[in-house]
Structures are given as structure tokens and as C-alpha cells.
Amino acid sequence: MGEEESGESGGGDMATEQAPAAKHALVDPRLQGISDAIRVVPHFPKPGIMFNDITALLLRPGVFKDAVDMFVERYKGMAIAAVAGIEARGFMFGPAIALAIGAKFIPLRKPGKLPGEVISESYVLEYGTDCLEMHVGAIEAGERVVVVDDLVATGGTLSAAIRLIERAGADVVECACLIGLPKFKDFCKLNGKPVYVLVESRK
């Protein structure tokens, strides 16, 4: 849940837009179980933050499977070549989704974590900057990619991931997050790319 933990700002060249919500959409009954399984920890990691803890969901295999299945159902048959997971909680969902849809998994990591040649993309935090890195050659030009993280708050990390992947010549089809602030729930776009969120963050 890097965005709430790091206190990201919405600065930089991030751009969001609200896409029209689908009318009369049927609510999947699995969503309530997913939302209920997320534990809210007040004032963590600092005062004022209501931390949405997904580790409680991971302890419930049926609910964990429901969350993964909902992403798989969405992306299967869309010719997705790669799932890119953002460190660290994107690693919990990304590999399972990638395996199920027959795609490769690409870790997007913090600086100094990947051996060998990398490309990097910086993004703005409330009190400084951070960076995502990806192995050179992990993605080929023209490949269709889904970016996965556990939570979207400001969108700064996802925006950096989109820029990083596009610099490699690939096409970001969508960003997928388990949890999102309300503004991201109704098919919001980030840097022109759709953001798909399963449940709203809990307070």
C-alpha cells in the first residue's frame, strides 16, 4: 500500500480524468466479501492515516482467490502479454493473475533491487521523490501490459509505472488495483489509461 504509506502528492505530470460510469451495472457478490476482509488500522504508519491492511485478506484463501479470479476474468482473452507488478504488494496479486492468463510477470522495483541493466522512472512524493526500475528487455515493443498494485490513492506510483512501460515501447492496457479512493472507483483514467478498482478504501 505504498501510496498511503509514503504520503505521495499528486504532483508531476500525472493527469487524471473521470470516465463515464456504466449505468445499471450488476454488483458482483464477491466484492462485499473482499471489502469485509480488508482490515483498517488507524494511525498507521503515521497519525491520520487509515491503513487498509490486505494481509488479513491473504489469510482467507477463498476471498484471496475471489479477488484474483475477478482480475483474471477481466483480462483473460484480451491478449495481455505481461502483468507488471509494483513493489511490493503488486507482487502478491500480479504473479497469480499473470499465470492464470498466460502472461509473463514483470516486477517494477525500487532503486538498487534489480541486478543488471535497468531503466528507471522517478515520481514525486510529498517530501521528495522516489523511483521505479525495470529490467531492460523485460518488455518488448508493442506488447500489451496490465499494471497491478494493491491500492491507488494519488496515482503517482501508477503514473510512473505507465511512463516506464511506455518508454519501452509497450502499451499499457489498464491499471488494476484491489483498493482505490472513491474517485478511482468509477473507471477513472490516469495519464489516459483506465484504472480498474475492485473496492473502495475503507475508513
Side-chain angles (χ1 to χ4, degrees), residues 29-142:
R30 293 173 292 185
L31 291 174
Q32 188 61 54
I34 292 168
S35 180
D36 290 345
I38 297 167
R39 181 175 63 144
V40 178
V41 183
H43 308 300
F44 180 85
K46 60 184 179 180
I49 296 293
M50 300 298 286
F51 187 86
N52 280 233
D53 179 19
I54 67 165
T55 61
L57 180 149
L58 301 178
L59 294 174
R60 299 174 62 180
V63 182
F64 186 14
K65 183 178 184 299
D66 283 345
V68 171
D69 285 350
M70 290 191 72
F71 288 123
V72 170
E73 290 161 12
R74 183 172 182 85
Y75 299 118
K76 202 158 192 175
M78 291 179 62
I80 303 299
V83 174
I86 295 175
E87 185 173 355
R89 293 176 183 88
F91 297 173
M92 297 177 181
F93 293 91
I97 296 168
L99 284 172
I101 64 174
K104 59 187 174 182
F105 177 74
I106 299 170
L108 305 182
R109 303 214 62 183
K110 297 297 178 68
K113 299 291 185 68
L114 291 173
E117 188 177 1
V118 299
I119 57 173
S120 60
E121 185 70 36
S122 297
Y123 56 98
V124 178
L125 301 172
E126 187 176 357
Y127 301 108
T129 61
D130 209 338
C131 182
L132 288 176
E133 293 185 340
M134 176 177 69
H135 272 134
V136 170
I139 294 178
E140 297 181 10

